[in-house]
Amino acid sequence: GENVEQHPSTLSVQEGDSAVIKCTYSDSASNYFPWYKQELGKRPQLIIDIRSNVGEKKDQRIAVTLNKTAKHFSLHITETQPEDSAVYFCAAPSGYQKVTFGTGTKLQVIP
Amino acid sequence: NAGVTQTPKFRILKIGQSMTLQCTQDMNHNYMYWYRQDPGMGLKLIYYSVGAGITDKGEVPNGYNVSRSTTEDFPLRLELAAPSQTSVYFCASSLPTSSGYGYTFGSGTRLTVV
């Protein structure tokens, strides 16, 4: 099955700075890479995803980049705000219509 | 649309008791999933279903059972509850697409086994 590694496990940034979270995957056939945000005590919510036919996708302050050769993908958050504080999970396909999640990154944005 | 609805939100069980966690979705999604999330940890797949009448095991199925008699409902059954099953349980659903699929999660059921 797919093996997804996520780094760092915790990340503290000053408000307004950028944050980068990186994930690596093992299955070269994987073609879809979502990112989820989970606020404290809440459900995970899909914030952005990327398919293997593109190298980058942006949505306002959030972007995801994909390097298929190196088998890694990253989440970039620019101009961080306190409401960005949450746990972020990456995921990669691990068989027919299911995914394996990374271990999560707890992001703290310091005002 | 209510999305994915889970009940109950909280439950305390005694060791050896049984219970059913309910999950229903109104988005006509074919695919449904049950995950557990232990404190400070990631999401582990318990069971999933690609359509009514079809279910399959995930990473951590022991101690659980599921059924999928309709597209909308995907209940998770705990038999003989154990302290190791103390966790937050999330149900999720998705559409099948040829190139990827995002999950919609329910709000979770926080289960404590004492």
Side-chain angles (χ1 to χ4, degrees), chain A residues 34-52:
Chain A
W35 285 91
Y36 292 84
K37 175 183 180 182
Q38 186 178 29
E39 296 176 357
L40 188 63
K42 301 282 184 67
R43 73 191 81 186
Q45 290 193 296
L46 179 70
I47 56 171
I48 196 167
D49 54 21
I50 190 168
R51 289 170 173 74
S52 58

Side-chain angles (χ1 to χ4, degrees), chain A residues 54-71:
Chain A
V54 298
E56 182 176 4
K57 182 177 178 180
K58 291 185 72 173
D59 182 3
Q60 299 183 353
R61 296 186 298 106
I62 295 172
V64 57
T65 58
L66 172 64
N67 183 325
K68 288 179 61 178
T69 303
K71 290 191 281 187

Side-chain angles (χ1 to χ4, degrees), chain A residues 9 38 87 89 103-104 106, chain B residues 37-43:
Chain A
S9 56
Q38 186 178 29
V87 178
F89 292 98
T103 49
K106 184 175 182 179
Chain B
Q37 185 175 36
D38 297 335
M41 303 294 283
L43 296 148

